[in-house]
């Protein structure tokens, strides 16, 4: 790492595409598919290897970073932050890192990386650097130079590769770990092998994603958040579709058109047991009482709003009258 102008650190070196290509030829055919991070899916994961869990906010941040990139940039990179517990790595946040890529030189702003890391750890002291991300279809020779930089502070840095697709392919997210390939004392190259990655699916994340999906179908003029009534209507419709789907599946199981699933039956039994058992008349009374309470709250809110508006007008009239009296 050498210093250059504008407080930028440059990582210089030639891409290892030739070395990686020769490395791929030395590997068995079953391992060649993910030597350089090809986008085709593979289910080969080493038991006991690092498992990565990613929060949805990380993917949204990467996409936002890509949308704000310079026109001449083909991809963006950044630092991944999270926690490490044994062989489980949880990516909770990230931040972009400015960089440039040329044919024979790769440069990144390491001062910016250090400053952002220091500021982030003031708020989240338990978050550490777990790796880095990039947006591309596959791992290339320049990726090895970035990976070596993060490997100086992280024992086993994770490379999160987000292929946006850009309307041509389906967006995919993969994680890679590196391993040196040597023959005796001679280093032949570095192999990137795919690691298991999964998304964190918490209640707050689901609510946020559902809201974004609901707003995505609106027009340009109505791209804001949905009103409370529209949100309730969409939620009820979704619930009705789910209940209809469950009812159709149960009917097929009773007609022996599909094989019964013990786990699904157990979940349905728990759901039915959790539902309150009320007679229809009692349920109607409880529902009507709730509706009346809501209407009363809405009425009081409107009445308060009207009183505030009237008070503001009276205050404005009184102020203008007081201002006119001395002039007379």
């Amino acid at each position: 790492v050498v210093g250059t102008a504008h407080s930028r650190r440059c990582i210089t070196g030639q891409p290892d595409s030739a070395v990686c290509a020769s490395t791929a030829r030395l590997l068995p055919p079953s391992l060649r598919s993910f030597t350089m991070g090809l986008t085709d899916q593979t289910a080969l994961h080493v038991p006991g290897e690092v498992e990565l869990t990613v929060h949805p906010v990380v993917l949204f941040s990467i996409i936002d970073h890509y949308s704000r990139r310079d026109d001449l940039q083909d991809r963006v990179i950044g630092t991944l932050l999270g926690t490490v517990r044994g062989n489980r790595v949880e990516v909770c946040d990230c931040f972009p890192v400015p960089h440039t890529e040329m044919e024979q030189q790769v440069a990144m702003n390491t001062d910016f990386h250090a400053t952002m890391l220091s500021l982030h750890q003031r708020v989240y002291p338990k978050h550490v650097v777990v790796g880095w991300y990039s947006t591309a279809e596959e791992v290339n020779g320049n990726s090895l130079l970035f990976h070596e930089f993060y490997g100086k502070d992280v024992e086993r840095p994770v490379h999160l590769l987000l292929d946006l697709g850009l309307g041509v392919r389906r967006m995919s997210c993969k994680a890679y770990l590196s391993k040196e390939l040597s023959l005796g004392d001679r280093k032949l190259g570095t192999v990137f092998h795919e690691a298991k990655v999964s998304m964190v699916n918490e209640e707050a994340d689901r609510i946020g994603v559902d809201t974004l999906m609901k707003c995505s179908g609106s027009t340009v003029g109505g791209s804001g958040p949905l009103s409370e009534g529209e949100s309730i209507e969409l939620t009820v419709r979704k619930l009705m579709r789910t209940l209809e789907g469950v009812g159709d599946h149960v009917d097929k199981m009773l007609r022996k058109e599909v094989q019964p699933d013990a786990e699904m039956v157990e979940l349905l039994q728990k759901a039915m047991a959790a539902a309150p058992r009320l007679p229809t008349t009692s349920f109607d009374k409880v529902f009507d009482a709730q509706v009346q309470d809501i209407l009363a709250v809405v009425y009081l809110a409107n009445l308060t709003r009207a009183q505030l508006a009237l008070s503001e007008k009276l205050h404005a009239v009184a102020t203008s009258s007081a201002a006119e009296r001395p002039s007379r």
Side-chain angles (χ1 to χ4, degrees):
V1 180
V2 296
T4 59
H6 305 293
S7 300
R8 182 180 293 273
R9 300 292 188 267
C10 294
I11 306 174
T12 59
Q14 296 181 353
D16 289 344
S17 57
V19 176
C20 293
S22 62
T23 301
R25 289 195 294 269
L26 295 175
L27 294 176
S30 60
L31 299 180
R32 293 177 187 172
S33 60
F34 56 86
T35 302
M36 287 300 294
L38 300 178
T39 54
D40 52 333
Q41 295 182 354
T42 174
L44 296 177
H45 299 295
V46 180
E49 193 59 88
V50 173
E51 297 182 5
L52 191 71
T53 56
V54 183
H55 287 252
V57 68
V58 176
L59 300 183
F60 284 116
S61 299
I62 297 174
I63 295 173
D64 179 71
H65 182 198
Y66 184 81
S67 65
R68 299 173 186 272
R69 76 191 189 284
D70 295 334
D71 295 336
L72 300 179
Q73 279 189 316
D74 294 331
R75 67 169 179 172
V76 296
I77 69 169
T79 302
L80 297 177
L81 301 166
T83 58
V84 181
R85 295 182 179 87
N87 65 336
R88 296 183 179 273
V89 178
E90 183 177 359
V91 182
C92 305
D93 205 347
C94 66
F95 61 81
V97 177
H99 84 292
T100 56
E101 293 186 57
M102 294 178 285
E103 293 182 358
Q104 299 297 331
Q105 182 173 318
V106 177
M108 65 179 297
N109 195 333
T110 57
D111 289 344
F112 181 88
H113 162 79
T115 302
M116 289 295 294
L117 177 60
S118 176
L119 294 175
H120 183 88
Q121 288 182 337
R122 290 183 183 180
V123 183
Y124 303 99
K126 294 184 179 180
H127 286 185
V128 296
V129 177
V130 297
W132 64 290
Y133 70 81
S134 67
T135 56
E137 297 182 31
E138 61 183 12
V139 180
N140 56 26
N142 292 339
S143 300
L144 180 60
L145 300 176
F146 294 121
H147 203 76
E148 289 178 349
F149 167 75
Y150 283 93
K152 295 178 181 179
D153 299 326
V154 184
E155 182 179 358
R156 302 194 66 183
V158 178
H159 175 33
L160 185 67
L161 183 66
L162 184 62
D163 182 10
L164 299 179
L166 301 179
V168 180
R169 301 171 307 279
R170 184 177 181 180
M171 187 175 69
S172 63
C173 178
K174 296 183 179 181
Y176 293 92
L177 298 171
S178 65
K179 181 178 296 185
E180 291 186 359
L181 185 64
S182 58
L183 182 60
D185 297 335
R186 180 184 177 187
K187 180 181 176 181
L188 300 178
T190 302
V191 180
F192 284 88
H193 62 91
E194 190 174 347
K196 185 178 181 180
V197 59
S198 59
M199 296 295 300
V200 176
N201 190 17
E202 296 180 351
E203 183 66 22
D205 299 322
R206 288 198 300 269
I207 293 174
V209 173
D210 288 343
T211 303
L212 290 175
M213 292 299 294
K214 292 174 183 177
C215 296
S216 63
S218 60
T219 59
V220 177
S223 58
L226 299 177
S227 64
E228 184 177 359
E230 293 174 341
S231 179
I232 294 175
E233 181 181 358
L234 291 175
T235 303
V236 172
R237 288 183 179 180
K238 182 179 179 181
L239 178 61
M240 293 300 296
R241 289 195 300 269
T242 303
L243 292 176
E244 290 175 359
V246 172
D248 293 339
H249 187 76
V250 172
D251 292 338
K252 291 180 180 180
M253 285 193 300
L254 294 177
R255 294 194 299 266
K256 297 184 179 180
E257 296 179 2
V258 296
Q259 189 70 19
D261 187 355
E263 183 178 359
M264 182 179 295
V265 172
E266 182 180 359
L267 291 175
L268 290 175
Q269 289 178 345
K270 290 182 179 179
M272 295 300 296
R277 297 183 180 181
L278 293 176
T280 305
T281 55
S282 300
F283 179 80
D284 290 340
K285 291 181 180 179
V286 173
F287 183 78
D288 291 339
Q290 293 288 340
V291 171
Q292 294 297 327
D293 292 341
I294 294 174
L295 292 177
V297 171
V298 172
Y299 174 76
L300 292 175
N302 293 332
L303 183 61
T304 304
R305 189 181 298 110
Q307 287 179 347
L308 290 175
L310 181 60
S311 176
E312 290 178 357
K313 291 183 178 181
L314 292 175
H315 180 71
V317 171
T319 304
S320 61
S321 300
E324 293 176 356
R325 285 176 184 175
S327 61
R328 293 178 182 178

